[in-house]
Amino acid sequence: MKTLRDLGDVDGKRVLVRVDFNVPLGDGAVADDTRIRAALPTIEELRRRGARLVLVSHLGRPKDREPELSMGPVSERLAELTEAQVTLAPAVIGDEVLALAEDLTPGNILLLENVRYEPGEPKNDPALADALAELADVYVNDAFGAAHRAHASVVGPTRFLPAAAGRVMAREVEVLDGLLHRAKHPFVAVLGGSKVSDKLGVIEALLDRVDTLLIGGGMCFTFLAARGHTIGDSLFEESMVDTCRRLLKSGHDLRIPSDLTVLSPGGAFGAGVAPTGETRQVGPNVPDGWIGLDIGPGTAAEFADVISEARTVLWNGPMGVFEDPRFAAGTRTIAEAIAATKAFTVVGGGDSAAAVADFGVADRIDHVSTGGGASLEYLECGDLPGLSALRESAQA
Ligand code: ADP
Ligand code: MG
């Protein structure tokens, strides 16, 4: 896969960069600019090399062209983060946009409107890809978080323009590919989050590669049920029980919780809710009507021990409903164990990344992936549509 280095001279050239500026908004402003800041190394390198930049991203899932999902707030934040002059285009494509792109001076930025304002984007419409390619001489894809979608702005311009991966993309692929093919052992994966069905592909892909797989979060209850434990009203996916039973019997070192933190029947839980109900620690059997919402302290300590012996650790998915302080302890213990180990550590998944940020340990993790769905799909399949498009790009 080509990277920025392989692009050669871009001085004075227009470079279309697919970025991932799909940021959370609040009160008409960018609420968390992590993704914008992540793209700065690529943007700044191309500016230093004299490129004229056309940036394109999606934002949310607009059904129509709702103004609440305009790139306006992103454009304002981007202007604050770079010395460049940032112009927000009035649309994604069209004559007016083309004229703005042609007028760009070196080092300056034209940010296109939300690419999902175009119905051709999710359909991978070649006409949209062609119109985007018209705006530039070179295409760079730095939107790792969107690389699992075969959308027009992600895979299309590579058919028309010389193409390369930006710095975010190149680093993500280097790390995740390293996990799949060059991990140092013991290699420990910690998986949690809400659903087994969301993560089954990753579990299956990882089982043959890791030495130990630690399972917590909502998904552990289907495993506990498969082993014959009672799970009360905890999250449960009946259709996955047979699969979980098969995985438990596969002979791999797959560990599920031996204790849990549970909430009494009718208790309210979650981010920002008024906490009601009683919490209790139980062996892995959950009493009738109670809900398991975190791994227990014994399990957290056991998992932390396994992590401390590892040379490679991959973590995806919180161990409990960490948004509620009563059920955050398991996730915090794991986050701190991962921060403390000398192993090479990778965290993937939107909520897991939020958890390590919340607990203040993000800078002690070797790599926090910017793409939730994309990193899982890469681990599962070893490739993504956006990456294969870059590799197969006709030119460059
Ligand atoms: P990621 O975004 O890191 O991939 P997921 O989206 O799979 O993680 O899961 C995150 C969500 O899982 C969190 O909102 C958390 O509250 C929820 N969760 C964790 N443990 C449980 C549980 N025991 N019961 C219900 N939900 C849970
Ligand atoms: Mg999530």
Side-chain angles (χ1 to χ4, degrees), residues 299-319:
T299 303
E302 180 201 333
F303 285 9
D305 259 3
V306 174
I307 289 165
S308 74
E309 306 275 306
R311 291 183 72 201
T312 307
V313 182
L314 165 67
W315 180 26
N316 172 276
M319 296 291 99

Side-chain angles (χ1 to χ4, degrees), residues 192-194 199 217-218 221 235 292-293 316-321 323 348-352:
S194 39
K199 312 261 164 109
F221 298 98
L235 211 68
L293 293 171
N316 172 276
M319 296 291 99
V321 179
E323 300 92 335
D351 294 288
S352 315

Side-chain angles (χ1 to χ4, degrees), residues 206-269:
L206 287 174
L207 260 187
D208 285 327
R209 294 193 153 89
V210 301
D211 300 285
T212 306
L213 189 60
L214 306 172
I215 297 209
M219 69 160 87
C220 76
F221 298 98
T222 306
F223 282 95
L224 286 163
R227 199 169 262 173
H229 293 291
T230 60
I231 58 164
D233 280 353
S234 309
L235 211 68
F236 177 55
E237 286 176 278
E238 190 166 9
S239 63
M240 300 304 292
V241 174
D242 288 342
T243 303
C244 289
R245 197 172 290 126
R246 172 172 60 77
L247 294 171
L248 287 167
K249 286 185 180 155
S250 66
H252 292 93
D253 184 13
L254 189 158
R255 308 214 192 155
I256 59 178
S258 55
D259 65 345
L260 299 158
T261 301
V262 297
L263 178 67
S264 59
F269 64 95

Side-chain angles (χ1 to χ4, degrees), residues 52-102:
R52 301 145 71 200
L53 295 178
V54 180
L55 306 186
V56 60
S57 174
H58 72 283
L59 179 59
R61 295 170 186 267
K63 284 188 200 67
D64 205 350
R65 299 182 188 204
E66 49 265 59
E68 303 80 58
L69 290 173
S70 160
M71 299 302 284
V74 174
S75 165
E76 280 167 33
R77 187 71 193 115
L78 181 63
E80 288 163 10
L81 290 170
T82 136
E83 311 266 273
Q85 189 185 312
V86 179
T87 306
L88 175 65
V92 182
I93 50 170
D95 290 345
E96 217 180 321
V97 181
L98 187 58
L100 285 168
E102 280 166 353

